[in-house]
Amino acid sequence: PNTKYSTQDQSTVAWIEEAYSYGYYKGYSRNSVPWGEGTLIFNNGDKYAGEFMAGKFNGFGVFIGIDGSGYWGNWVNGKKSGAGKFYDGHLYEGSFSNGLKHGLGTYTFYEGEVITGEVEGAFANGEIDGYATFTIPGVSEYKGFWKSGKQEGKGTKTYDNGFAYTGDWINDQMHGVGIMTIPYNKDFEDKPMSYEGDMVSDEPNGH
């Protein structure tokens, strides 16, 4: 059959169908080791179809887990690396490195078929890290910096009810110097009020 090889010599590969201790493989091989395009069905029912090198997922491939998870994209030495999509009830589309979300991407959260949140921006080592926007439909939006999955640095968060804060964040909390707008306060005849100054653990710390 016709196939495409970008990383190995076609003259040294052969088509095989073989059972290994971990699963059943059908595809191209070198010395009975998966090498080239093929399909591997693991003993537990997980399935990979795509490119192999030296027995590892390498190149483009699709992995479908029996738990309903799936990955479509590039692999290096058996790990997600490069551009891809990963679904496990939620969906991440973007860049991977060493098996983790790393680089620019979009992470969409679901409850069933309903989108409950979306992050678009920078990731590092599997966490939101750098500049990113986090939107919760009908609730709030945060635009700013993150560190290891936490809102940290300069950022702006606005709520659909009119509450807004622009300033410093530490560990997901308003902490540092910022401007806060409160849309409703019964002590001010239902008029919006604002505060500019120091914030400590989500609370104003001054006058």
Side-chain angles (χ1 to χ4, degrees):
N2 293 326
T3 189
K4 177 182 177 183
Y5 297 98
S6 57
T7 54
Q8 58 271 336
D9 181 355
Q10 296 184 45
S11 65
T12 63
V13 298
W15 178 269
I16 65 169
E17 296 186 19
E18 188 163 336
Y20 298 98
S21 61
Y22 51 84
Y24 180 79
Y25 176 75
K26 180 167 66 174
Y28 289 91
S29 71
R30 179 183 290 178
N31 296 323
S32 295
V33 176
W35 204 310
E37 295 180 1
T39 299
L40 176 62
I41 301 175
F42 290 89
N43 292 332
N44 69 348
D46 292 344
K47 180 179 179 180
Y48 171 85
E51 295 178 291
F52 291 79
M53 181 182 287
K56 295 183 178 180
F57 309 159
N58 208 91
F60 182 82
V62 176
F63 180 90
I64 304 296
I66 59 170
D67 60 359
S69 64
Y71 174 76
W72 302 257
N74 292 307
W75 303 76
V76 175
N77 292 326
K79 295 184 178 181
K80 308 176 192 73
S81 191
K85 299 180 182 180
F86 177 70
Y87 178 78
D88 62 351
H90 309 302
L91 177 65
Y92 174 80
E93 300 181 63
S95 181
F96 291 81
S97 180
N98 201 33
L100 300 172
K101 298 184 287 291
H102 194 93
L104 297 179
T106 300
Y107 195 13
T108 306
F109 301 90
Y110 290 89
E111 276 190 16
E113 298 181 356
V114 178
I115 294 176
T116 59
E118 183 174 88
V119 176
E120 183 175 2
F123 294 79
N125 299 316
E127 302 282 0
I128 311 167
D129 198 293
Y131 187 86
T133 298
F134 179 33
T135 304
I136 301 176
V139 179
S140 65
E141 180 180 72
Y142 173 83
K143 291 184 177 182
F145 288 90
W146 301 69
K147 184 177 180 180
S148 300
K150 303 286 188 179
Q151 295 161 16
E152 189 147 329
K154 299 291 185 182
T156 295
K157 190 168 190 176
T158 56
Y159 286 82
D160 284 15
N161 65 6
F163 179 91
Y165 172 79
T166 298
D168 297 323
W169 296 78
I170 293 180
N171 197 33
D172 279 342
Q173 293 185 323
M174 297 176 286
H175 194 101
V177 178
I179 301 173
M180 181 172 61
T181 300
I182 302 172
Y184 167 77
N185 189 301
K186 63 182 180 180
D187 296 328
F188 290 85
E189 299 179 351
D190 298 348
K191 295 180 180 180
M193 65 171 289
S194 64
Y195 167 84
E196 182 174 357
D198 293 333
M199 300 287 296
V200 176
S201 301
D202 282 339
E203 298 292 337
N205 186 41
H207 300 284

